[in-house]
Amino acid sequence: MSISRNDLSASGSSSSSSSPTATGAPLPRKQEPSSESKNLGQQSLHADKIAQEPLTDEKTNDQRVKEPYSIYTRNEKWFLVLLIAISGLFSPLTANVYFPAIPAIAGAFHKSTELINLTITMYMIFQGISPMLFGTLADNVGRRIIYASCLLILSLTCVGLALIPTSAYWLLLLLRCLQSTGSASTIALGAGVIGDIAEAHERGGFFGVYQSGPLLAPAIGPVIGGALAGTLGWRSIFWFLCISSGVAFLVVIIFLPETLRSIVGNGSIPTKSSILHQPLIRIVGRGRAGGSSKPKSNQPQPSRKRKPFKNPFGILLHNPDITLILFFNGTVNAVYYAVTATISTFFASAYPQLGETEVGLCFLAIGGGMFLGSLTSGKVLDWEFGRIQKEVKEKGREKGTERGEGEEQKKTGRYDEDFPIEKARLRLIPFFMIFFVGANLGYGWSIQRQVHISVPLILQFIVGFIAIIVMNADATFVIDLMPEQSSSVSACNNLFRGTSGALLVSVIDLIANALGGPGWTFILLGGVCAVMTPMVYVVMQIGPGWRIRRAIRAGK
């Protein structure tokens, strides 16, 4: 309780008025100064001591504000990003390694290629749906346990797929859905970890490198799948996935610490459970991370009250700026998937001299573009963020309202309603979309006119390079808006990307046949992207208002 000097002075006056002198009892005159001096001296010392208490509290609050957003060093953050990037490989790897084995699996199950392709469609549907569950669970019970659970599900379902009888087509469909459930959520969970440990000004760089892992899989997946299916048979593909995902499960259990901020704060808060939230071998945060032992009395304590389960669909229903940008992102992703899914059929038709191995190598062009684009996007996002931040600070100096966004706000991992995060993340997207649309228009006609094969491969590379820059910018943007629900909002992103990709891939052959080939097909798809691009400007206009509404709802 804080007591002011005036209160104490009044208290002193009251006590003096009730002294023996006030009641008329005679006291020796020479004792009065000594008694009053003594009382006043004690009151003055007591008042000084109490008056300092609010200052001590303020000092403590300042110290808390200045606490680092994360206890992990820059190198330790990179270690965690690489760790989750490797785990994030399995979502696209499990999908792409399957493609070369489709003819062999169709023959083994005595089913048509269309029915085997149905397993791909079902995989993509669950790829979009399952992160909505696991991402939300990770935002409530922790990243580490959900990460390990997903990898364990993937490993066990791969055992079933490797041993499946060829008379049970229904079981193939079921296990592919379960396989997708286990593998697809790792990308959303990784995005959640980055939101936990990375401040806003460095999040773009980390996210760009993180995405390079999952995006390397589309390039190497068909090569690995073709090699395994051609030498050891199609079942060896699932044994490979079983062993690799099992190793990833052990790596997560041994090395990955809990990062969910509602449980461990910036990593320094101790947890009750050493099994669920603590790695078996701690490599990062030694001496700084909270352990499972009894915490010290002066350490900040995590809230033990269970957080209410938040419906991830509420993000889409109550935040139109997020919904619009995810819809735009899903459109770009769907066109990217249309290019990838038709490489085998379009190249085999336009360049009949290519064998299966050569056609498989054609995937390296778009995969390489995605990989390099992912690395580039991180640097572009961080550079653009820093440039906008500098502009804001300079305007603050001119108006005399600078508030030190470079230091204090960085420590919070996010920026307030006045910082134009939409401009920092989305401003360059329309510029990149010009090249994306142009590459799609040229790609379709280069195949239909059967020009030199280097032309469609270069355009493929551009499509992949630009697509990942745009998608990474959108994904980082929605995490910036809702860092406390980073896994859930990333799951919403996966929902749009997965469902839009599945829908377009399921009808792309019908569209190509109806329009007479890839030329007009990609004219149509490029035109759709061009029409959707102004949606970015809409989000930049309405975004600030909705950020203020979210802050009000959160009680900030």
Side-chain angles (χ1 to χ4, degrees), residues 370-388:
M370 296 284 280
F371 181 74
L372 292 178
S374 182
L375 297 178
T376 303
S377 68
K379 296 183 181 297
V380 171
L381 287 171
D382 284 349
W383 174 82
E384 181 71 355
F385 190 96
R387 192 185 68 81
I388 299 299

Side-chain angles (χ1 to χ4, degrees), residues 62 83 154 202 211 292 294 305 313 322 348 359 370 384 407 411 439 484 541:
D62 290 342
L83 184 64
L154 172 60
E202 61 184 353
Q211 284 284 62
S292 58
K294 186 176 180 180
K305 185 178 180 181
F313 289 101
I322 294 177
V359 171
M370 296 284 280
E384 181 71 355
E407 296 298 330
K411 299 303 181 185
E484 70 282 355
Q541 289 296 319

Side-chain angles (χ1 to χ4, degrees), residues 97-115:
V97 77
Y98 184 79
F99 291 153
I102 289 177
I105 294 175
F109 280 82
H110 305 291
K111 300 293 181 180
S112 65
T113 302
E114 287 74 16
L115 287 177

Side-chain angles (χ1 to χ4, degrees), residues 60 72 83 117 156 224 257 278 297 300 303 351 371 409 521 534:
T60 302
Y72 301 116
L83 184 64
N117 283 340
L156 294 178
I224 295 174
Q278 296 295 328
S297 59
S303 174
Y351 307 100
F371 181 74
Q409 290 185 14
T521 299

